[in-house]
């Protein structure tokens, strides 16, 4: 399925893709049908020839929570994720009663309103496609007071765990951090207090961040 998806996305026939990857059409066909399994190096080589990389992507799962007495649900993920710089600001258009409403996600106020709509009413597909983890964390202080309290309660642990992971990565000077900036000062200070509750001194955390130039 992976090879077939990459090949068709490039508009290649099996013969053309096999020639580009240095293998035979029958072999590639067997890989795509699952009757023969390529080794990991072979899979990487074929994907690379097609213009793709074999990569690890964190698996995001959603849990549906009922709200109100009308059978409505909202969805909360197990973790946050990053979108590409382009996808972060793709306009979001939603159905309202009546008509439709469009949000300009490149505008902070519009993005805040759109994220509130996504958290309260969005499907998992809409949330995954339009919500960026770093921008959500950055805008969370502006959103909290306007969110339904029950929804805020369910999303807060996801936000807090993301901030905690980001801070721990900063302290350990890791290159591949779960989130890059922007993270608001309010969110960072709250995370510092949370880490202090686990035995780390807040002053030590702040000092370490200052030395690394991250605060």
């Amino acid at each position: 399925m992976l090879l077939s998806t990459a090949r068709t996305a490039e508009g290649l026939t099996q013969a053309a893709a096999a020639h580009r990857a240095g293998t035979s059409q029958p072999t590639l066909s067997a890989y795509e049908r699952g009757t023969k399994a390529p080794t990991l190096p072979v899979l990487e080589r074929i994907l690379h020839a097609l213009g793709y990389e074999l990569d690890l992507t964190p698996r995001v799962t959603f849990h549906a929570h009922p709200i109100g007495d009308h059978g409505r649900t909202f969805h909360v993920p197990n973790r946050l994720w990053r979108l590409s710089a382009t996808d972060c600001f793709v306009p979001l258009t939603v159905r309202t009663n009546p008509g439709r409403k469009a949000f300009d996600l490149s505008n902070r106020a519009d993005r805040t309103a759109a994220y509130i709509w996504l958290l309260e009413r969005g499907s998992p597909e809409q949330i995954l496609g339009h919500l960026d983890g770093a921008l959500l964390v950055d805008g969370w202080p502006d959103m909290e007071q306007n969110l339904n309290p029950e929804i805020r309660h369910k999303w807060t642990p996801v936000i807090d765990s993301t901030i905690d992971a980001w801070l721990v990565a900063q302290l350990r000077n890791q290159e591949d951090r779960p989130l890059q900036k922007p993270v608001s000062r309010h969110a960072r200070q709250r995370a510092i207090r949370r880490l202090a509750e686990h035995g780390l001194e807040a002053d030590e955390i702040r000092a370490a961040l200052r030395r690394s130039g991250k605060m």
Side-chain angles (χ1 to χ4, degrees):
M1 177 63 72
L2 189 64
L3 290 174
S4 175
T5 300
R7 176 179 62 78
T8 55
E10 293 301 301
L12 297 172
T13 64
Q14 282 187 344
H19 177 74
R20 181 183 292 185
T23 190
S24 67
Q25 185 273 328
T27 298
L28 181 59
S29 176
Y31 289 159
E32 290 189 3
R33 288 184 286 110
T35 58
K36 184 177 181 181
T39 63
L40 185 58
V42 169
L43 177 60
E44 289 181 321
R45 175 173 58 81
I46 296 175
L47 286 173
H48 189 267
L50 297 177
Y52 293 85
E53 298 287 348
L54 186 62
D55 196 11
L56 292 176
T57 301
R59 186 167 66 92
V60 178
T61 58
F62 284 85
H63 184 73
H65 299 273
I67 185 170
D69 300 323
H70 304 290
R72 190 164 71 86
T73 59
F74 65 95
H75 304 274
V76 180
N78 64 319
R79 63 191 305 159
L80 295 182
W81 57 92
R82 294 303 314 270
L83 297 179
S84 70
T86 301
D87 291 340
C88 279
F89 305 116
V90 172
L92 170 65
T93 301
V94 301
R95 292 182 178 180
T96 60
N97 189 15
R100 303 171 74 86
K101 179 174 178 58
F103 296 98
D104 176 7
L105 298 191
S106 65
N107 176 277
R108 185 181 180 90
D110 241 24
R111 185 168 62 247
T112 297
Y115 278 16
I116 289 174
W117 188 95
L118 286 169
L119 268 57
E120 293 188 342
R121 300 180 178 276
S123 66
E125 293 75 20
Q126 288 173 315
I127 296 171
L128 277 172
H130 291 278
L131 189 147
D132 176 78
L135 293 177
L136 174 64
V137 170
D138 181 59
W140 186 249
D142 299 329
M143 297 169 57
E144 284 183 291
Q145 59 185 354
N146 296 312
L147 275 172
N148 176 288
E150 187 174 349
I151 295 174
R152 182 179 66 239
H153 174 72
K154 294 294 185 182
W155 271 85
T156 294
V158 181
I159 301 294
D160 286 343
S161 65
T162 300
I163 297 172
D164 289 356
W166 182 84
L167 270 173
V168 169
Q170 296 281 19
L171 290 170
R172 292 175 178 171
N173 197 27
Q174 294 177 353
E175 292 299 324
D176 50 346
R177 306 180 184 98
L179 284 177
Q180 303 292 334
K181 288 184 179 180
V183 175
S184 71
R185 184 173 182 82
H186 172 81
R188 193 178 298 113
Q189 293 292 340
R190 181 175 62 182
I192 288 171
R193 291 194 298 270
R194 282 171 51 79
L195 289 177
E197 292 172 1
H198 292 284
L200 295 175
E201 293 293 335
D203 289 342
E204 294 176 347
I205 297 171
R206 292 191 184 94
L209 291 177
R210 290 193 185 97
R211 285 196 302 271
S212 64
K214 303 301 184 182
M215 185 175 178

